[in-house]
Amino acid sequence: MHDAAVAGEVPPARPRPVIGASWTRMRSRGIDPERGRTGRPLRADELVERRRESGLSEVLPLLRGKLAGVAEQTANIMVITDADGHLLWRDGSTAVRRNADALGFVEGMSWGEDVVGTNAIGTALVTGLPIQVYSAEHYVRTHHAWTCASAPVHDPRTGRLLGAVDLSGPAATVSPTTLALVETVAQLAESQLRTAHLEALEALRGSAVPLLSRVTGPAVVTDSHGWVAASTGIAPVNHVALPAACGAGRSWLPALGDCAVEPVPGGWLVRLIDDDPASALDERTAVRLDLRCSQARIEVASASGGWDHPLTPRHAELLFLLAAHPGGRTAAQLAADVFGDELRTVTVRAEMSRLRRNLGGLLARRPYRFSQNVEVEVLRPDDPGSLLPHSIAPAVRGG
């Protein structure tokens, strides 16, 4: 069947529909059935960044605990990829890993259909369904000695595809139970992510209730994905559809109508605006970066009240740099500012990710900057001391 399919002939029998559909995609995209396409492996810093942004690192212990031992015992390897098919982590049999190395099946490489043709990882990511691919069902002949079973993992908050979990090994190790195992473990990972989301929402609820007590009129507090932690003055609702690039200011939201959106720690305060022109006042948020004490703080004031948050020296340093550059700074520019080395972007992105989790919609990215409608004031010490981060002190001394 494979020989006929790659030659464009009528096969003697039909492959499984999911395999036949994938082979048709491969022919239409000109994938070489002998070698596939040459992919570029990720650089070390790119691999670290993709691991961090994948959303799968928090379920990595679960995935390894459930599958790495099985992979070792059954002469397989366990692989976790991101949504683009790049291999993020790989564990299991040493001998099989050596064989995988020869095939280019290594961390940092893409195993998407557009690169290596029909395979469990790439095809599961395309279809969004678990799949097992055996021997000559792979489109590229160099993969015919392998069998693999893969299941996609989705973010329960958004439904977004995060990546896939996979067991791969020599074709002789094929088992009908492998796919069921991989699919079950993927479901366990999604369940753990769902539990973590509910715990975070409950923590947000603790700060949302007192915040809403100071608000006049209908309002809700949501996390960054629009899940509602608490509400006042409106019928109970679980989720609010926020814009893809949500920011502080006035916005029209489905089911709620005209609203004023303000950043709060861990999410957004959404206040309904009525038809009274007086309720459509300027929705700007005032931010004060206080560097006058050894414990720097950020203070936020908006139409519905205020809050503050302590800052580590590194976070104070980064926020000062963003305040000094309203147009924004790239990760490379911030790395050069802070470390004198523009290549240290991984560290900068990690710190900025922590800042954005704490400060909600106050910060935007690409480039990193304070969001639109945020006014920033920096309170500087009269006598900058050694407790100030090194990149802040010269600027403060220089006024």
Side-chain angles (χ1 to χ4, degrees):
M1 285 189 290
H2 179 273
D3 290 344
V6 299
E9 301 170 356
V10 178
R14 289 184 178 181
R16 291 188 291 154
V18 65
I19 298 298
S22 180
W23 285 356
T24 299
R25 288 195 297 273
M26 300 308 96
R27 290 197 304 273
S28 68
R29 296 170 186 173
I31 302 297
D32 185 344
E34 303 298 329
R35 291 172 295 275
R37 287 178 176 163
T38 301
R40 179 187 72 82
L42 298 172
R43 299 192 311 269
D45 63 321
E46 291 175 325
L47 177 59
V48 170
E49 180 69 8
R50 280 189 177 257
R51 285 172 172 171
R52 185 181 65 80
E53 292 189 340
S54 69
L56 293 170
S57 57
E58 62 183 288
V59 294
L60 181 60
L62 180 148
L63 296 175
R64 280 179 168 157
K66 299 295 184 183
L67 292 178
V70 173
E72 183 72 41
Q73 295 167 13
T74 59
N76 274 244
I77 55 176
M78 180 202 76
V79 168
I80 302 169
T81 79
D82 65 10
D84 295 325
H86 285 94
L87 273 66
L88 302 181
W89 294 279
R90 192 184 70 163
D91 289 287
S93 167
T94 302
V96 178
R97 276 186 283 161
R98 284 197 294 265
N99 293 336
D101 291 344
L103 195 65
F105 194 32
V106 297
E107 290 178 349
M109 285 296 293
S110 173
W111 226 245
E113 277 195 342
D114 285 344
V115 178
V116 297
T118 304
N119 73 96
I121 292 171
T123 305
L125 293 175
V126 169
T127 63
L129 299 171
I131 183 174
Q132 187 169 30
V133 177
Y134 172 72
S135 188
E137 288 185 322
H138 292 90
Y139 190 75
V140 178
R141 286 193 173 92
T142 53
H143 300 173
H144 286 187
W146 289 77
T147 182
C148 47
S150 185
V153 179
H154 295 86
D155 187 338
R157 299 168 300 181
T158 63
R160 179 174 67 93
L161 178 65
L162 299 178
V165 58
D166 170 89
L167 280 178
S168 293
T173 67
V174 66
S175 169
T177 62
T178 304
L179 180 60
L181 172 63
V182 170
E183 183 177 4
T184 298
V185 172
Q187 291 171 348
L188 286 174
E190 292 180 350
S191 178
Q192 181 172 310
L193 290 171
R194 185 176 297 107
T195 299
H197 169 233
L198 293 176
E199 291 174 351
L201 202 60
E202 185 63 29
L204 177 59
R205 186 170 293 115
S207 60
V209 171
L211 176 64
L212 288 174
S213 68
R214 303 193 299 267
V215 175
T216 58
V220 298
V221 172
T222 78
D223 68 6
S224 58
H225 300 282
W227 292 97
V228 176
S231 63
T232 182
I234 63 173
V237 60
N238 291 327
H239 186 261
V240 172
L242 298 175
C246 189
R250 192 164 178 170
S251 182
W252 188 90
L253 303 180
L256 294 182
D258 205 11
C259 297
V261 181
E262 302 173 19
V264 296
W268 301 97
L269 169 65
V270 180
R271 296 185 295 110
L272 277 64
I273 298 176
D274 58 30
D275 294 330
D276 182 359
S279 67
L281 298 176
D282 183 16
E283 299 296 339
R284 301 187 73 82
T285 299
V287 168
R288 177 178 292 173
L289 184 59
D290 191 346
L291 306 177
R292 295 174 297 180
C293 300
S294 59
Q295 175 66 77
R297 303 187 70 83
I298 185 170
E299 302 170 357
V300 182
S302 60
S304 58
W307 50 274
D308 62 272
H309 184 77
L311 299 170
T312 65
R314 179 68 72 215
H315 287 174
E317 187 173 18
L318 290 168
L319 291 176
F320 177 84
L321 290 167
L322 297 184
H325 298 89
R329 300 294 273 174
T330 65
Q333 288 172 327
L334 287 174
D337 293 336
V338 174
F339 304 110
D341 180 0
E342 65 179 14
L343 297 180
R344 294 188 61 177
T345 56
V346 171
T347 303
V348 166
R349 290 191 178 106
E351 294 293 347
M352 289 302 302
S353 178
R354 296 186 187 99
L355 263 175
R356 295 182 75 239
R357 282 199 299 270
N358 290 329
L359 303 184
L362 291 178
L363 299 176
R365 54 187 295 191
R366 297 179 182 171
Y368 294 113
R369 64 196 184 280
F370 279 98
S371 298
Q372 189 178 17
N373 292 332
V374 171
E375 295 178 341
V376 184
E377 177 187 9
V378 178
L379 300 180
R380 312 182 187 204
D382 296 329
D383 182 18
S386 60
L387 290 175
L388 284 172
H390 74 273
S391 69
I392 292 183
V396 173
R397 293 189 184 100

